[in-house]
Amino acid sequence: MSLFRTDRQLALLLQSGALLAAALVLLILLFLVKESWPVLQHVPLIRFVTDASWHPVDGLYKLTPMLSATLYSTLGAVLLATPLGIASALFSRYYAPSFIAGCYRRLIELLAGIPSVVYGFWGLTTLAPLIGRLHPPGVSLLTCILVLTLMILPTVALTADAALAAVPVAYVRGAAALGLSRWGLISGVALPAARSGITAGTLLAAGRAIGETMAVLMVAGNVVQQPQSLFDPVRTLTANIALEMAYATGEHRAALFVSGLALMVMVLVLVGTAELFSKERHHV
Amino acid sequence: MFKNALTTLLIWLTAALVSGVFVWLLADIIIHGLPKLSWSFLVEAPENAGRSGGIGPIIVSTVLILGVAMVTATPLSLATAVLLSEFIRHDSVFGRLVRRSLDVLAGVPSIVFGLFGNAFFCIYLGLGFSILSGGLTLSCMVLPILIRTAEEGLQATPNDYRLSASALGMSRSATLVHLLLPAATPALVAGLMLGVGRAVAETAALIFTSGYVDRMPDSLFDSGRALSVHIYDLSMNVAGGDASAYSSALVLILLLLIINSIALSLAKQWLHRSVVTA
């Protein structure tokens, strides 16, 4: 199709805009690598595991306590939020009367919109003292897991809801015509048909939990240590960056950028895997 | 049969639990936040590290940061969305590349945006800890959400518009300016509101780009403390700051509620209109 001259000029302008937007990711990666280069250059990656402790000023870069805190809290939150989120989606799609289902969906959307700093603040002032009564000090891996669960539950619930909505009506009607009970219909037909969508949503939620900073920073206690129990205070990778960036210089700062790079890689792997799952759904 | 009843019970219980926790959280913040909330709290400057006084300069800084973010992100996202939906084929290599990199950008954790913003805007471009640095960092962050909503809005405009305009010999630019953009405006504004909501909730990306200073900013090159950063600082670094933190959290939630309802009502209105014209 032939284009007008103004159209060609406009297209050129739009293309440069889109190119800029697309290049942003590369720019971010470039700067992360550039800033972490002073450390990456002469510290082999294995030392982030084998060093004696995390004392970056003295050249000791053991990241494993933070790494395991991130992994434990994410794992715990995903394990709790997945059943709760799927149950929430089932509730609003198959169990609740339509008015209640609408209200419930709106509530989940509101929950998704609450800022992480508010979750963190609430966890610190309300949840942490409650858990502290059970087992001091209160700010702990458990508090962190509970707050993260609350934060990623909307992601799981909303994606599961969308995946269930995409199940062909014919499947559901067919199952109902066969006289299956409601749970039989859900466990035998709806959930298997929506499985890849739900998995993709759960992976996205895990990515959100790994990258979450403020809430975790406020409720996890921020002690650099390998957690031995659920009640131990821990420090995650993200909290470590937020705490130490304020005063870090030189190689210490570079080491923080290395952990930022590690975070980004973890999240990208999760998002990439989630995309594979949602693609599978489109083929079905 | 027993299994069926049991799962029904469990699912209703889950729903009750989730609603209960949500009401608990909200009630907690309203009950503790309401007593201090007043007009003077909204306009006065914070005193005694925020324990008393208000949040006037902090609201001004927040609005300025949001302004910078939206003013820079909107044209860029509009250009990208128009290109993706109107000027290139859906399956073209360039389009796929742009979409893929935006998906990746959407997944980047906010603390990593903070690191990038600090390294690029504050240090490399020499903007320092400033409202400008914070706003530009947020603009990178909201770009994917703005582009996606704008693209969806444009794609939802009736194809008849394009065909009729083309039959009349209108240029694509004229079609865009006179037909497609006006038709998609409510969707564009709704997307913008979603972006504002995401930006106003952000904290981690702002701590080391726009900084902590709670004075009234004189210019965009001054450091300014956003509302969410204020809540964080009060609850973590200021002993006895909880009362003010509760009120600030309430203000933040109310702000988000207003923004979200505007977005929702616009989206609804637009849905209604497209049904009528189709």
Side-chain angles (χ1 to χ4, degrees):
Chain A
M1 193 196 303
S2 76
L3 289 175
F4 289 77
R5 219 174 62 125
T6 46
D7 286 351
R8 275 202 298 271
Q9 284 165 349
L10 183 67
L12 212 63
L13 191 76
L14 298 179
Q15 253 158 15
S16 39
L19 208 59
L20 190 63
L24 209 54
V25 156
L26 291 181
L27 192 69
I28 291 177
L29 262 178
L30 184 78
F31 265 83
L32 284 182
V33 172
K34 172 179 171 285
E35 295 287 323
S36 36
W37 196 243
V39 161
L40 284 181
Q41 206 177 10
H42 68 260
V43 178
L45 280 180
I46 189 77
R47 278 194 46 205
F48 290 101
V49 180
T50 56
D51 271 2
S53 59
W54 170 257
H55 284 107
V57 182
D58 307 325
L60 295 170
Y61 301 111
K62 188 186 176 95
L63 273 177
T64 38
M66 277 81 102
L67 209 55
S68 42
T70 294
L71 292 181
Y72 288 153
S73 54
T74 301
L75 199 68
V78 168
L79 283 180
L80 282 178
T82 307
L84 290 177
I86 294 175
S88 289
L90 289 176
F91 175 75
S92 57
R93 194 139 296 277
Y94 294 109
Y95 284 87
S98 66
F99 175 71
I100 298 182
C103 289
Y104 191 70
R105 218 169 270 149
R106 181 96 180 91
L107 183 139
I108 297 278
E109 279 167 13
L110 280 176
L111 211 51
I114 291 182
S116 59
V117 69
V118 173
Y119 278 112
F121 177 58
W122 179 77
L124 183 67
T125 53
T126 309
L127 212 54
L130 282 180
I131 290 172
R133 228 181 285 165
L134 205 68
H135 194 302
V139 280
S140 61
L141 181 59
L142 180 65
T143 325
C144 177
I145 288 176
L146 290 178
V147 170
L148 274 182
T149 303
L150 207 56
M151 291 190 66
I152 64 172
L153 192 138
T155 310
V156 180
L158 292 172
T159 47
D161 196 54
L164 286 170
V167 173
V169 186
Y171 290 13
V172 179
R173 292 219 176 117
L178 288 172
L180 287 182
S181 69
R182 183 147 55 174
W183 178 245
L185 186 155
I186 289 167
S187 65
V189 178
L191 282 181
R195 199 188 55 208
S196 55
I198 293 175
T199 316
T202 310
L203 288 173
L204 282 181
R208 190 157 171 225
I210 287 184
E212 177 49 43
T213 311
M214 297 321 290
V216 167
L217 175 62
M218 292 164 87
V219 301
N222 300 325
V223 180
V224 183
Q225 63 173 355
Q226 193 70 33
Q228 302 300 329
S229 88
L230 275 176
F231 297 103
D232 280 351
V234 293
R235 184 189 284 193
T236 63
L237 273 181
T238 49
N240 189 46
I241 297 174
L243 283 169
E244 299 191 354
M245 253 309 269
Y247 58 87
T249 50
E251 296 208 339
H252 182 189
R253 186 180 143 91
L256 292 179
F257 273 85
V258 172
S259 50
L261 207 55
L263 269 175
M264 182 142 169
V265 170
M266 283 195 277
V267 170
L268 291 190
V269 168
L270 277 173
V271 172
T273 326
E275 210 163 289
L276 281 183
F277 274 102
S278 50
K279 223 172 244 143
E280 185 187 316
R281 179 179 50 177
H282 289 311
H283 283 302
V284 168
Chain B
M1 212 59 234
F2 172 71
K3 216 177 187 177
N4 197 20
L6 185 73
T7 47
T8 305
L9 183 72
L10 277 179
I11 281 173
W12 275 89
L13 278 180
T14 306
L17 178 76
V18 173
S19 321
V21 171
F22 179 72
V23 170
W24 182 17
L25 192 158
L26 218 56
D28 205 44
I29 285 167
I30 292 173
I31 290 169
H32 290 92
L34 217 46
K36 254 198 114 175
L37 199 60
S38 64
W39 180 248
S40 59
F41 181 75
L42 291 180
V43 294
E44 273 171 18
E47 283 160 32
N48 195 4
R51 288 184 194 88
S52 51
I55 51 170
I58 286 145
I59 291 187
V60 172
S61 301
T62 309
V63 170
L64 287 177
I65 293 172
L66 288 180
V68 170
M70 288 304 142
V71 165
T72 47
T74 308
L76 197 57
S77 57
L78 205 57
T80 312
V82 168
L83 182 85
L84 287 178
S85 110
E86 305 299 324
F87 278 80
I88 56 177
R89 289 167 55 93
H90 191 77
D91 53 357
S92 73
V93 176
F94 183 65
R96 277 217 301 256
L97 201 77
V98 172
R99 280 200 189 89
R100 174 58 52 88
S101 79
L102 288 172
D103 284 346
V104 172
L105 194 65
V108 174
S110 59
I111 187 90
V112 173
F113 275 107
L115 287 176
F116 164 73
N118 183 276
F120 184 64
F121 295 120
C122 298
I123 294 172
Y124 187 75
L125 295 186
L127 297 174
F129 281 79
S130 64
I131 288 175
L132 206 55
S133 302
L136 289 172
T137 308
L138 284 190
S139 105
C140 303
M141 225 178 130
V142 296
L143 208 55
I145 208 174
L146 290 185
I147 293 175
R148 193 166 309 149
T149 48
E151 198 192 338
E152 277 167 12
L154 281 169
Q155 273 168 359
T157 50
N159 211 22
D160 294 352
Y161 287 16
R162 296 182 189 85
L163 297 177
S164 323
S166 181
L168 290 170
M170 280 170 79
S171 72
R172 287 209 195 180
S173 322
T175 315
L176 189 73
V177 171
H178 295 294
L179 286 172
L180 300 179
L181 285 182
T185 299
L188 299 181
V189 178
L192 208 64
M193 286 289 141
L194 278 180
V196 172
R198 170 103 198 263
V200 82
E202 186 45 46
T203 318
L206 289 179
I207 309 177
F208 23 85
T209 53
S210 65
Y212 275 102
V213 177
D214 60 1
R215 277 193 310 275
M216 186 64 89
D218 291 324
S219 78
L220 291 182
F221 294 98
D222 273 1
S223 166
R225 185 191 282 196
L227 196 53
S228 49
V229 176
H230 188 56
I231 299 171
Y232 163 68
D233 194 54
L234 279 177
S235 67
M236 290 292 279
N237 305 335
V238 180
D242 278 0
S244 300
Y246 268 118
S247 304
S248 310
L250 187 58
V251 172
L252 186 58
I253 289 182
L254 288 177
L255 209 62
L256 275 166
L257 271 182
I258 296 170
I259 292 169
N260 272 341
S261 350
I262 295 177
L264 206 70
S265 67
L266 277 172
K268 245 185 208 146
Q269 181 195 337
W270 160 73
L271 206 67
H272 178 71
R273 212 169 68 176
S274 65
V275 169
V276 170
T277 48

